[in-house]
Amino acid sequence: MKKEMTYLDYAATTPLDPKVLRAMMPFLTLDYGNPSSVHSAGQKAAEAVEKSREKLASFLNCSKEEVVFTGSATEANNLAIFGLVKKIQKLGFKSHIITSEIEHHAVIEPFKILEKQGVEVTYLPVDGEGRISFSEMEKAMKENTVLVSIMYANNEVGTIQPIKEISELIKKNRKKLFSTDYQIPFFHTDAVQAVNYLDCDVNNLGVDLFTLSGHKIYGPKGVGALYVRKGTPLEPIILGGGQESGLRSGTENVAGIVGLGEAISQIKRQKSRLRQGHSTLRVSDIRPEDSVPRDSMNSMSFGGRAKNKNLQRLRDKLIIGIIKTIPGAKLNGSAKDRLPNNANFSFKGAEGEAMVIALDQKGIAVSTGSACSSKSLEPSHVLVALGLSEEEAHTSLRVTLGRGTKEQDIIKILKELPIIVKKLREISGKFN
Ligand SMILES: *Cc1c(COP(=O)(O)O)cnc(C)c1O
């Protein structure tokens, strides 16, 4: 990345923390042993893997044995979903599984495959802000529901789901799966976008399976982890040498795992430093004609549970600035239950992809939504589930902030974007 690039796409990936790189370096160079080897070089690598596992366990408030390293969060989601359903299928049980309409593709696609294979599936709808409804969820739960998978925070619009409350609802509806000790349904959450900002104590949250990713938390790409609560039935989806307690064969990505451990330790430290944020303003309170006095800007915030105040302040400056300067700009997602680093807008008459390209030419990196769907012409399934028309969904822009974001970056996008939107609207003629 060029130094002068304004990077505002932290939900797609984050830069590697220099401390993380430093921790990884020995295992990319001198300490290249295979953790399965008996000799001391192998044992050194094995120890490093176990140390990292301890760091994750301490962060998640679980035991070491409950942490499984994978090659990505995508793989962790696949392991959680296929692994659980396959294991229960082996008992000859006809399963029903539940997820939401706004999950990442790494959850949606496994659900679709299982559905094709005859597993009964419910996709829960969400409200206009991207929240699932408890009553819909309660209605969806059946005698044979074995798995509920609901993401902690959405990667496109940043909506936070009340995971603890959902797990309490699930617990209330739990029953013993006949002839086993399993209490169904089990609860999985894809927490990839939440790890930087929200509570990740798996016992407090009450989840059985919890997915995280290295490269979304200033760690390396190509490594993820799945928390698996003791006693959760899981069948491996990758078979071989039996690494990771048989749940994920393949020689461990030692440097990646060490990097993930260091990235997690950094977040743990950062979280203990930050205090709870506040929500004082609703999006519905803001109209373009509102003039927001400069001094009061700092006290305004979206995203009630956010802990990172400075990030949130910059993000709110962005949201308020955009809504004030671009006519008809609309904020997608939730005003209150929102990640502190996420802003997602629709600009009627301006095409998302065109805005991304034009901003890139000005040295600003943003996204239309998820990195995965941006290559296809399909509208974002998340925005459609929030009730946007396909046309509206094609006019969306996701701006996500992170540790490196400076006041100057926000000033820069606030200067460039209104000009770009105006031009694109003139070309399309779809906004007057
Ligand atoms: C990025 C992301 C993933 C995929 O993570 P990888 O480690 O890149 O496979 C899964 N879920 C969510 C919510 C994400 O944002």
Side-chain angles (χ1 to χ4, degrees):
M1 194 97 41
K2 284 198 199 118
K3 261 234 149 62
E4 61 272 25
M5 170 66 94
T6 290
Y7 185 78
L8 292 169
D9 201 12
Y10 284 83
T13 196
T14 57
L16 194 66
D17 184 299
K19 281 209 190 93
V20 171
L21 177 62
R22 228 173 296 143
M24 291 170 72
M25 272 315 265
F27 301 96
L28 292 164
T29 51
L30 289 176
D31 298 327
Y32 53 80
N34 183 327
S36 296
S37 298
V38 173
H39 49 64
S40 51
Q43 287 319 293
K44 186 161 186 188
E47 272 165 32
V49 168
E50 292 319 302
K51 234 188 220 154
S52 176
R53 201 186 308 281
E54 273 164 26
K55 287 176 182 170
L56 266 75
S58 152
F59 178 77
L60 298 167
N61 187 26
C62 66
S63 76
K64 259 182 80 193
E65 292 69 32
E66 295 172 309
V67 177
V68 179
F69 290 116
T70 63
S72 63
T74 297
E75 189 193 316
N77 283 340
N78 274 255
L79 174 58
I81 297 159
F82 287 127
L84 188 119
V85 171
K86 300 267 181 229
K87 187 83 170 190
I88 288 179
Q89 268 174 347
K90 274 196 167 172
L91 303 168
F93 191 73
K94 192 136 179 34
S95 298
H96 167 244
I97 54 179
I98 299 174
T99 190
S100 82
E101 285 181 353
I102 61 163
E103 298 295 313
H104 190 273
H105 288 286
V107 166
I108 296 255
E109 295 303 319
F111 267 76
K112 280 194 195 157
I113 292 284
L114 288 170
E115 191 176 18
K116 273 193 196 138
Q117 293 171 356
V119 175
E120 206 185 328
V121 178
T122 301
Y123 300 95
L124 292 175
V126 293
D127 65 17
E129 299 193 355
R131 286 175 307 227
I132 63 158
S133 115
F134 281 29
S135 62
E136 290 281 345
M137 171 118 177
E138 197 147 31
K139 259 193 278 165
M141 272 191 279
K142 303 181 185 197
E143 281 295 308
N144 61 334
T145 307
V146 298
L147 174 68
V148 177
S149 180
I150 305 288
M151 74 196 319
Y152 199 161
N154 184 268
N155 47 300
E156 291 188 40
V157 293
T159 303
I160 300 166
Q161 304 295 346
I163 293 300
K164 189 180 165 77
E165 286 74 21
I166 295 170
S167 87
E168 273 157 16
L169 182 66
I170 290 171
K171 270 181 203 147
K172 238 178 44 194
N173 286 273
R174 265 193 180 147
K175 58 215 151 295
K176 201 165 154 300
L177 179 60
F178 78 109
S179 79
T180 71
D181 289 329
Y182 301 142
Q183 294 285 328
I184 56 165
F186 291 93
F187 184 26
H188 167 248
T189 189
D190 174 346
V192 170
Q193 295 288 342
V195 172
N196 281 319
Y197 309 110
L198 307 176
D199 174 32
C200 291
D201 179 330
V202 290
N203 287 310
N204 183 38
L205 293 173
V207 296
D208 304 299
L209 298 150
F210 178 106
T211 295
L212 59 92
S213 176
H215 75 103
K216 305 288 176 79
I217 59 170
Y218 307 88
K221 295 175 178 61
V223 66
L226 181 67
Y227 156 76
V228 184
R229 183 177 294 279
K230 191 167 179 285
T232 305
L234 215 57
E235 185 85 358
I237 56 171
I238 296 177
L239 302 168
Q243 288 89 344
E244 295 298 293
S245 311
L247 279 174
R248 204 279 184 173
S249 286
T251 301
E252 297 86 341
N253 173 3
V254 179
I257 289 168
V258 167
L260 177 56
E262 182 57 30
I264 284 286
S265 297
Q266 299 277 341
I267 292 170
K268 197 163 179 240
R269 248 170 272 151
Q270 191 187 38
K271 274 186 178 171
S272 61
R273 282 199 304 264
L274 294 165
R275 283 174 299 120
Q276 191 81 28
H278 305 280
S279 174
T280 54
L281 183 75
R282 285 169 299 150
V283 173
S284 55
D285 292 336
I286 310 173
R287 292 181 304 273
E289 61 272 24
D290 284 344
S291 95
V292 182
R294 245 175 204 292
D295 300 343
S296 67
M297 201 82 100
N298 290 0
S299 66
M300 296 187 169
S301 64
F302 303 83
R305 275 181 275 173
K307 289 180 181 171
N308 198 322
K309 273 196 171 168
N310 190 43
L311 196 67
Q312 197 170 300
R313 182 185 65 80
L314 290 174
R315 192 273 315 267
D316 295 349
K317 176 173 177 154
L318 169 74
I319 293 176
I320 292 166
I322 292 290
I323 291 183
K324 274 173 61 188
T325 57
I326 304 182
K330 189 177 149 237
L331 182 69
N332 297 315
S334 175
K336 188 168 125 287
D337 300 318
R338 184 177 204 109
L339 286 176
N341 74 324
N342 174 290
N344 186 309
F345 306 96
S346 288
F347 304 103
K348 191 177 186 303
E351 208 260 317
E353 200 93 336
M355 286 187 279
V356 171
I357 292 165
L359 282 167
D360 186 51
Q361 284 166 353
K362 298 286 178 189
I364 303 168
V366 297
S367 156
T368 53
S370 73
C372 322
S373 62
S374 66
K375 283 199 188 82
S376 73
L377 291 172
E378 288 288 299
S380 149
H381 68 285
V382 174
L383 295 177
V384 170
L386 261 62
L388 274 74
S389 68
E390 288 203 6
E391 192 175 339
E392 263 184 301
H394 278 299
T395 68
S396 72
L397 197 73
R398 181 186 72 183
V399 185
T400 47
L401 290 61
R403 283 186 203 164
T405 307
K406 305 260 182 319
E407 199 92 29
Q408 210 47 44
D409 299 323
I410 302 305
I411 293 169
K412 190 168 166 191
I413 190 169
L414 284 176
K415 177 174 160 266
E416 300 294 349
L417 189 57
I419 303 167
I420 289 167
V421 171
K422 189 162 179 286
K423 265 191 206 151
L424 291 172
R425 280 173 167 173
E426 278 164 17
I427 295 167
S428 77
K430 283 185 183 152
F431 188 84
N432 32 44

